[in-house]
Amino acid sequence: MRGQNLKIDPERLWDDLMQTAQFGATPKGGICRLTLSETDKQVRDWFKARMTSLGCAVTVDDMGTMFARRPGTRADVPPIAMGSHLDTQPTGGKFDGALGVLAALEALTTLHRAGYETFAPIEVVNWTNEEGSRFSPPMIASGVFAGAFTRDWAQQRRDRGGESFGAALDKIGYRGSESCGAHKLSAFFELHIEQGPFLEAEGKDIGVVTGVQAMRWYEVTVTGTDSHAGTTPMNRRHDALLGAARLVEAVNAHARKFAEAVGTVGRMEVAPGSPNVIPGEVFFTVDLRDPDAGVLDRMEQDFSAAAKRIGDELGLAIDFKPISAEPAVRFDKDCIEAVRAGVEASGLTSRDIISRAGHDAAYVARVAPAAMIFVPCKDGISHNEAEFSSKEQCAAGAQVLLQAVLDYDRRLAERYGK
Ligand code: GLV
Ligand code: MN
Ligand code: MN
């Protein structure tokens, strides 16, 4: 089959992973590269320079998402895109997101060096703010791209320091001119580390990702009364942190009632934050996930009921705001078939898998055929500086990505009756 002999270069991919890991490198070997920060600008500039050196045209949309295009033989066919994100968690690893972008860059480099002509244009995409750590919700740019959020709402989201997404985009010079969502795609493929234990445990090279579980985010503000820690008797307190603590317990207990559900409070801010003042206000986030959105409905109802009860018991006002709700996603049949063909062409082992983490591909799937490829990561650990996939595992994923894109390109050529 045409293109089946093309091989990505494992060393070049590894070098790119290690080189870009310097932008925001942490002493413990991870990366802190929050979206739209100075280090995000540095890695974006690096990415743009590399793509330009390969003769690609780089466009940026008004949510800061970058698209680097290598032409195909048919300029009127929308591109087949591959990519992921270059932002990280505050204590992120070297592979979450970066692997998907840099493997896409490597796949495109392989085509470029071989002088291989595809039917459709091929693009490498770097989505803005996949992580949702600085600006919530996560995957905000692919969400706007897919019509899940409006651009204006997204650009007005503020980080905890009060800076808006729009202002942060302008500060690093990455508010592009293309309207987010206007960029048409024939398909989208995202390679990612699994971030869970199954592939490693079963000794499989590749996860063929058939879908993504449902996920919801909320922001909660608990309001009580600031007062003196020494002079306020226990029965006259309105302690916002005590209420928040009981709600954290409730999130954990509600998730445990269901076989596959998970519930997390990952950020909490306590005001005024003084040892001898009873906290008057607490802000915290809630992340709920399950493959079945019906389970999330029940968890949300349980949380609301717990908030009402705890608020009444402690004399607190509890404001519970939904921020995002992503339904469970089934990826496109033809894209999944292309991934299977890629696994076969690469001579690797695989199993089907559902993603427990959120990904840009889940939003993109609303507006273009999409699928994902997973590779194992050590002990299933991610969102941690110790996150690790080997050179060989990364290379296997990049090779399948390349072959999946080429397979889809052949299907597209047939469909257009080339
Ligand atoms: C994305 O990183 C997620 O939280 O799943
Ligand atoms: Mn990711
Ligand atoms: Mn992540």
Side-chain angles (χ1 to χ4, degrees), residues 341-368:
V343 171
E344 171 107 353
S346 311
L348 296 165
T349 60
S350 70
R351 61 159 274 182
D352 287 6
I353 194 163
I354 292 276
S355 174
R356 300 295 173 155
H359 295 289
D360 293 306
Y363 278 134
V364 177
R366 296 187 186 192
V367 289

Side-chain angles (χ1 to χ4, degrees), residues 89 96 130-131 138 195 215 217 287 289 356-358 383:
Q89 293 288 332
D96 175 357
E130 190 274 351
E131 296 290 7
Q195 307 182 270
M215 158 162 77
W217 275 23
D287 172 320
R289 308 191 197 199
R356 300 295 173 155
H383 285 189

Side-chain angles (χ1 to χ4, degrees), residues 2 51 65 86 98 128 134 185 255 271 273 360 392 396:
R2 227 178 127 246
M51 298 312 311
T65 295
L86 290 171
T128 301
R134 179 175 177 199
L185 302 177
D360 293 306
E392 294 70 29

Side-chain angles (χ1 to χ4, degrees), residues 140-158:
I140 200 168
S142 54
V144 172
F145 188 85
F149 316 117
T150 67
R151 186 200 54 195
D152 291 350
W153 179 81
Q155 289 186 347
Q156 283 159 19
R157 299 292 298 157
R158 289 184 187 276

Side-chain angles (χ1 to χ4, degrees), residues 8 134 169 184 215 255 287 309 313 334 360 368 378 395:
I8 67 97
R134 179 175 177 199
L169 261 182
K184 295 289 165 253
M215 158 162 77
D287 172 320
R309 180 176 44 79
E313 274 165 20
D334 288 343
D360 293 306
K378 191 166 184 310

Side-chain angles (χ1 to χ4, degrees), residues 24-63:
T26 60
K28 287 189 186 162
I31 306 179
C32 173
R33 196 162 61 216
L34 297 185
T35 196
L36 307 183
S37 62
E38 184 52 33
T39 50
D40 187 20
K41 173 183 165 32
Q42 289 165 1
V43 77
R44 285 165 174 267
D45 290 349
W46 179 97
F47 173 71
K48 192 160 142 194
R50 272 295 287 280
M51 298 312 311
T52 309
S53 77
L54 295 168
C56 293
V58 179
T59 32
V60 182
D61 74 14
D62 54 11
M63 285 294 290

Side-chain angles (χ1 to χ4, degrees), residues 92-135:
K94 294 191 186 79
F95 303 89
D96 175 357
L99 175 62
V101 177
L102 299 177
L105 188 164
E106 174 53 34
L108 189 142
T109 306
T110 305
L111 295 173
H112 175 76
R113 294 251 174 141
Y116 185 98
E117 280 201 326
T118 53
F119 172 72
I122 304 294
E123 287 194 344
V124 181
V125 188
N126 171 32
W127 299 101
T128 301
N129 188 40
E130 190 274 351
E131 296 290 7
S133 180
R134 179 175 177 199
F135 297 100

